[in-house]
Amino acid sequence: MTATPIRLLLVDDDPLVRAGLALMVGGAEDIEIVGEAADGAQAEELVGRTRPDVVLMDIRMPMVDGLTATRRLRARPDAPQVVVLTTFHADEQVLHALRAGAAGFVLKDTPPAEIVAAVRRVAAGDPVLSPAVTRQLMRHAAGAAADTRHTRARERLAVLNDREREVAVAVGRGLANAGIAAELFMSVATVKTHVSRILAKVGLDNRVQIALLAYDAGWLEDAGDDGQ
């Protein structure tokens, strides 16, 4: 049984970090490292040539940083999934990258098996972000612009019907499709359909952005989520 390997691009300005990541991930038979880049500009050029499925992207780099590169890559018609690499749990730059379309993030000290699992999950279309970390990042970014984000988020989400709103809130709480299906008494296939419709209606790239927008709109508080 031979499956097409996941094509992975490594982006970090530290060659030792890139070497470590290559060692961590290179042993997985279903992952092929198709290139390494030292900054966002190199990453963009390599994505055009190597067409990776997933990019492991450092945020803090000289020249073109990871945030800018993520935004540019996710705007491409053949956009790869992007997983942000960071040394901080609550880095506001990470939050901006998630809003730009990154599928999640992993800490640089994450065990090798978990990094491999993260690459596989993102390649399969699942975000890599725990509910607890999602809440931590979103609260970290709350500040002077919160009221403006609240109003804009509610305006964007006004296109959703009641059932789609329930699904969006469940996604915001970090539930997987099976958990949403059980809680809302629907099939997993129906949940996936609702998620796809939410993404299309609101113009989002992935479930992480649904969670962030639901939080900005105050829907999680409205639903009685106390963050526990």
Side-chain angles (χ1 to χ4, degrees):
M1 186 173 74
T2 58
T4 303
I6 299 165
R7 299 173 62 80
L8 177 68
L9 176 66
L10 305 177
V11 185
D12 196 293
D13 62 321
D14 187 336
L16 291 179
V17 172
R18 295 199 307 273
L21 289 169
L23 284 174
M24 289 181 192
V25 180
E29 294 183 357
D30 58 338
I31 298 176
E32 176 188 0
I33 298 174
V34 296
E36 298 181 15
D39 65 30
Q42 287 186 9
E44 292 179 70
E45 189 264 330
L46 280 174
V47 163
R49 287 199 287 111
T50 64
R51 298 188 178 280
D53 301 302
V54 179
V55 177
L56 278 178
M57 177 81 73
D58 188 23
I59 286 290
R60 301 177 184 278
M61 297 181 291
M63 306 298 289
V64 178
D65 62 31
L67 176 59
T68 301
T70 295
R71 185 181 299 109
R72 290 175 179 173
L73 291 182
R74 292 301 300 163
R76 297 170 65 104
D78 57 345
Q81 296 294 335
V82 177
V83 178
V84 173
L85 288 165
T86 181
T87 54
F88 303 102
H89 283 278
D91 186 338
E92 191 167 350
Q93 290 287 79
V94 174
L95 185 80
H96 291 317
L98 297 176
R99 293 187 190 280
F105 78 90
V106 294
L107 299 174
K108 289 186 178 180
D109 59 359
T110 298
E114 292 183 21
I115 291 182
V116 171
V119 171
R120 289 171 177 153
R121 283 179 56 191
V122 167
D126 294 324
V128 181
L129 203 63
S130 73
V133 172
T134 302
R135 288 192 293 269
Q136 185 178 5
L137 279 169
M138 289 188 292
R139 286 169 182 162
H140 178 72
D147 289 343
T148 300
R149 287 201 309 270
H150 178 84
T151 301
R152 289 178 178 172
R154 292 221 168 197
E155 289 173 350
R156 292 185 68 184
L157 292 169
V159 297
L160 303 184
N161 61 37
D162 290 343
R163 203 56 164 162
E164 290 163 349
R165 171 176 173 146
E166 290 177 335
V167 172
V169 169
V171 169
R173 289 168 48 218
L175 296 181
N177 288 338
I180 297 173
E183 184 170 290
L184 299 181
F185 304 103
M186 61 178 69
S187 69
V188 171
T190 301
V191 173
K192 291 180 179 178
T193 297
H194 281 308
V195 170
S196 295
R197 287 176 179 167
I198 293 168
L199 293 172
K201 280 186 174 183
V202 188
L204 301 175
D205 289 321
N206 57 44
R207 296 166 69 102
V208 174
Q209 290 183 326
I210 295 176
L212 294 172
L213 200 59
Y215 180 89
D216 284 346
W219 282 10
L220 303 188
E221 290 84 351
D222 293 347
D225 178 38
D226 61 3
Q228 299 300 316

